[in-house]
Amino acid sequence: MRILYLDAFSGISGDMFIGALLDLGVDFEQFKQELAKLGVHGYTLKKQELAKSSIYGTDFDVILDHEKDHGFVERHQAGQHHQHGRHLGEILELIKNSDLSKRVKEQASAVFSEIAKAEATVHHLPLTEVHFHEVGALDSIVDIVGCCIALELLNVDQIKASELADGTGLIQVAHGQMPVPVPAVMQMRVGTAIPIKQRLDVNTELITPTGMGLVKTLVTDFGPLPTDLTAEKIGYGFGKRDTGGFNALRAIIFEKKN
């Protein structure tokens, strides 16, 4: 049995998660081939192996064809392109109609549904009317589906995680200021015992809604590093936050002998 342990000492985001899985040995070309089955375009994937704080890891990034993506052009009417954010139904339909594996489809759809429910509650909107700015953006779709693909390529049977770390203070977003943890992340804590500690030394967001959605949906157990399992490999996925320290997600593959 292969168990993945996420050591989220500096938070978690979609790109950190994928970076860590690539660092654990997921073949990048195979990863790109699988992701192409989603059938969306307008992005390039970048993987870079580098050192931060003298520790080598992988930096993963989704580079959009346009500098900023708040949605996609879906309809072409009367000679005009209509641009809007993707809604949950559109995203689920996109995944359903893709050539991805059944497991990836189920996991990715569950993650999107979890984040959508949180956003709907925060913004007091029906689930069908949530206008996604981050979740519906192309890079978030690639991050969420990409994580599920990478987990399957690694043959992961179970995911465990440490206590999650987030920052503190306020961050500036398109609609103004938000407190950290951001509202969607806080909302996803409702009804769960997911442990989150706030790092008072970090004045920014460390847990993104995408990261929290992945954790809430896919992680089955939280606690310290396993002491009864054999560690097989360790990977680091780098984040983009300026924390004044080491911003990375450490991922460890453990083998449980039957």
Side-chain angles (χ1 to χ4, degrees), residues 166-169 197-204 206:
D166 207 347
T168 189
K197 67 176 181 181
Q198 281 192 276
R199 287 182 50 180
L200 301 181
D201 61 318
V202 177
N203 194 37
T204 189
L206 294 180

Side-chain angles (χ1 to χ4, degrees), residues 45-183:
L45 303 182
K46 181 182 178 184
K47 171 197 173 189
Q48 187 177 8
E49 295 176 5
L50 46 85
K52 292 188 178 182
S53 299
S54 297
I55 298 171
Y56 273 86
T58 297
D59 184 80
F60 172 80
D61 207 2
V62 180
I63 302 170
L64 303 174
D65 288 355
H66 301 288
E67 188 174 342
K68 203 170 187 180
D69 177 66
H70 286 302
F72 74 125
V73 176
E74 168 151 271
R75 299 179 183 87
H76 185 68
Q77 298 174 333
Q80 293 183 338
H81 291 289
H82 179 59
Q83 187 174 19
H84 62 89
R86 287 181 173 94
H87 296 274
L88 178 64
E90 296 174 79
I91 296 170
L92 297 182
E93 198 68 18
L94 181 70
I95 295 170
K96 179 184 174 183
N97 294 331
S98 72
D99 294 324
L100 295 164
S101 74
K102 180 182 177 183
R103 181 185 181 189
V104 169
K105 286 182 179 181
E106 290 175 349
Q107 288 182 335
S109 296
V111 174
F112 273 111
S113 297
E114 194 62 57
I115 299 172
K117 284 188 288 185
E119 296 283 3
T121 301
V122 167
H123 299 295
H124 283 211
L125 289 171
L127 198 58
T128 55
E129 292 182 21
V130 174
H131 182 87
F132 295 107
H133 289 284
E134 293 186 15
V135 178
L138 182 56
D139 52 348
S140 293
I141 291 174
V142 171
D143 280 347
I144 291 171
V145 175
C147 279
C148 299
I149 287 170
L151 289 169
E152 185 170 67
L153 292 175
L154 266 180
N155 297 314
V156 171
D157 298 303
Q158 184 182 3
I159 307 175
K160 298 175 180 281
S162 68
E163 175 182 57
L164 309 183
D166 207 347
T168 189
L170 299 167
I171 61 166
Q172 194 71 31
V173 297
H175 299 293
Q177 286 190 327
M178 280 190 183
V180 178
V182 297

